[in-house]
DNA sequence: GCTGGTTTATGAAAGGCTTCATAATTCTGC
DNA sequence: GCAGAATTATGAAGCCTTTCATAAACCAGC
């Protein structure tokens, strides 16, 4: 039944129907409503979660509850692989932002598959490289850019995730909550509100109720100031 | 000749002498004096560098030359693996901070070894997991802590890297330059200077010419303030 | 052991961002 | 369609950090 679904996940695309079958039998399907905590930072656990349906955010909190979003993942993506490979506790908390469904795969199943089929390892290495790049970029943004720059980077990244283009502009649909943009930029809701209205006044973006339209030129933000 | 050296690198510890020999023959040894740029962000190139001797820093710069240090690596560590696995350009610049010597291994050699010996893939996955954790922690520090907290975290991390313990205190030897602590904390030299002298006045650390001694209690810094 | 260059310490001013507060707007569920 | 909840907009005060400037300390090499 989900064989077809798995087949479309790049990570498993090289597996034979038999191997997929085997993987499925050893795995468990789990559902979580929107807003559930799937795993907690500090937990031990070596299972990997493949997102079949829905969307999650990977987050960290400080002692006052201030949140930083490390990444957002949707169906076809997976998380929890780090603990599967280095046996350390969960390094972040994962929360569903939509009703979601996961395939929970044990570390054992994964390493078994790697041994049979090293190609899977290369897929994993490639994906982890991508994540490391993104993490490095986020570090760079936090350390080297001011809030305007960071928010601009987040808008561009959000656009790449939605990919709605009309003529010369780029739309982020649906419009994300300011507090989420803030949690991605490492700043406060209020500051994001101010920064976006400044961008809007400068003609770099257009804010509507349903979306944010990015005009060419936002990339250059740093210079214009 | 370097077979013995390679044997001690965790990444290759499972390889047979024959496989090590093969790897060595396909690889090239390269030396760089202190202060050399080994690879530039944006370059294309899929080779992996194994550090045989010396020390490097992985850095990013903003347009004014302000630097953020993503990590510091020493002999036995490797870098450049990301481009080897996802074929994207170099995501950061690597600079030697000591005279250094590298074994330059082609992506091809690595994937060949992975196919022969999936265990190598697991080592790589484990190491990349570790790096991702560190990156996430750095993001969290930058986004959620003030400068004091970030500098404190860097001191603790530096201590873990030197591991000189005498009685109840922990020493960072040799004492790093303030500008490097700054580049790791995402702040300025001047601010690090002020923060350290504040820590010193509060009795959390002791600053000497040769080292920094961390007393128990620095971890709690956030609370004390 | 001196000289020039580098690193560190510290003050002062300015600015960016946070925080708190309030009002307006929008959304949600009945 | 309404009431209450959540989100957004905006002002004001204050703090943290940066930046610039200067002096002191330190270091490296001849």
């Amino acid at each position: 039944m989900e064989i077809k679904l798995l087949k479309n996940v790049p990570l498993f695309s090289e597996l034979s129907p038999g191997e997929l079958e085997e993987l499925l039998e050893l795995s468990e399907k789990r559902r979580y409503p929107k807003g559930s905590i799937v795993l907690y930072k500090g937990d031990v656990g070596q299972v990997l979660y493949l997102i079949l349906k829905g969307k999650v955010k990977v987050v960290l909190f400080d002692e006052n509850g201030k949140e930083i979003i490390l990444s957002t993942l949707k169906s076809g993506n997976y998380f929890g692989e780090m603990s599967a490979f280095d046996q350390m506790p969960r390094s972040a908390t994962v929360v569903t932002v939509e009703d979601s469904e996961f395939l929970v795969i044990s570390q054992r199943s994964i390493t078994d598959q790697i041994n049979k089929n090293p190609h899977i390892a290369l897929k994993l290495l490639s994906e982890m490289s991508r994540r490391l790049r993104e993490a490095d970029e986020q570090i760079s943004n936090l350390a080297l850019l001011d809030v305007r720059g960071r928010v601009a980077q987040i808008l561009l990244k959000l656009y790449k995730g939605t990919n709605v283009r009309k003529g010369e502009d780029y739309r982020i649909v649906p419009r994300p909550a300011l507090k989420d943009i803030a949690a991605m930029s490492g700043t406060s809701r209020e500051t994001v509100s101010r920064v976006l209205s400044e961008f809007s006044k400068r003609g770099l973006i257009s804010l509507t109720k349903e979306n944010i339209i990015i005009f060419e030129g936002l990339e250059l933000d740093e210079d214009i100031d």
Side-chain angles (χ1 to χ4, degrees), chain A residues 66-70 138 141-142 145-147 150-151 154 178-189 191-192:
Chain A
K66 186 182 171 189
E67 171 188 284
I68 172 83
I69 297 180
L70 295 175
Q138 200 173 354
N141 290 342
L142 286 167
L145 300 182
D146 60 11
V147 171
R150 300 204 304 270
V151 170
I154 292 298
L178 299 196
K179 78 165 161 30
D180 292 327
I181 298 178
M184 294 188 243
S185 316
T187 184
S188 65
R189 280 171 292 115
T191 297
V192 171

Side-chain angles (χ1 to χ4, degrees), chain A residues 162-175:
Chain A
T162 59
N163 241 34
V164 177
R165 173 154 191 182
K166 296 219 177 154
E168 277 321 293
D169 53 62
Y170 308 85
R171 309 192 174 211
I172 299 171
V173 188
R175 175 174 167 171

Side-chain angles (χ1 to χ4, degrees), chain A residues 45-179:
Chain A
Q46 275 104 12
V47 298
L48 178 153
Y49 292 75
L50 175 68
I51 307 178
L52 297 173
K53 192 176 89 54
K55 201 175 185 181
V56 304
K57 59 180 178 181
V58 183
V59 293
L60 289 169
F61 301 94
D62 71 4
E63 65 276 11
N64 305 313
K66 186 182 171 189
E67 171 188 284
I68 172 83
I69 297 180
L70 295 175
S71 63
T72 305
L73 305 169
K74 54 189 185 184
S75 51
N77 296 143
Y78 47 90
F79 58 90
E81 76 290 347
M82 283 156 54
S83 294
F85 296 124
D86 70 2
Q87 328 292 329
M88 299 292 285
R90 302 302 188 187
S91 61
T93 296
V94 176
V95 183
T96 53
V97 296
E98 294 175 2
D99 292 350
S100 302
E101 202 173 303
F102 308 103
L103 190 67
V104 184
I105 304 171
S106 72
Q107 181 235 16
R108 186 62 199 283
S109 301
I110 295 288
T111 53
D112 283 356
Q113 289 302 332
I114 287 176
N115 284 315
K116 278 188 228 160
N117 192 344
H119 212 89
I120 271 207
L122 293 175
K123 288 258 172 64
L124 283 162
L125 287 166
S126 167
E127 173 63 15
M128 292 188 79
S129 298
R130 213 185 52 71
R131 292 187 186 187
L132 223 19
R133 281 175 199 281
E134 290 206 338
D136 287 349
E137 202 184 327
Q138 200 173 354
I139 291 168
S140 159
N141 290 342
L142 286 167
L144 303 176
L145 300 182
D146 60 11
V147 171
R148 267 187 220 83
R150 300 204 304 270
V151 170
Q153 290 294 325
I154 292 298
L155 292 182
L156 293 169
K157 189 168 157 187
L158 284 171
Y159 159 68
K160 282 174 203 146
T162 59
N163 241 34
V164 177
R165 173 154 191 182
K166 296 219 177 154
E168 277 321 293
D169 53 62
Y170 308 85
R171 309 192 174 211
I172 299 171
V173 188
R175 175 174 167 171
L178 299 196
K179 78 165 161 30

Side-chain angles (χ1 to χ4, degrees), chain A residues 2-21 23 50 76 78 105 110 113 117-124 126:
Chain A
E2 278 101 357
I3 295 256
K4 231 163 72 188
L5 229 163
L6 280 196
K7 193 72 193 152
N8 287 325
V9 174
L11 178 59
F12 298 127
S13 60
E14 312 276 331
L15 295 188
S16 69
E19 287 168 328
L20 287 176
E21 189 78 57
L23 202 63
L50 175 68
Y78 47 90
I105 304 171
I110 295 288
Q113 289 302 332
N117 192 344
H119 212 89
I120 271 207
L122 293 175
K123 288 258 172 64
L124 283 162
S126 167

Side-chain angles (χ1 to χ4, degrees), chain A residues 188-202:
Chain A
S188 65
R189 280 171 292 115
E190 296 94 322
T191 297
V192 171
S193 175
R194 282 183 254 264
V195 167
L196 290 186
S197 81
E198 182 200 327
F199 283 175
S200 180
K201 276 186 202 112
R202 287 212 253 147

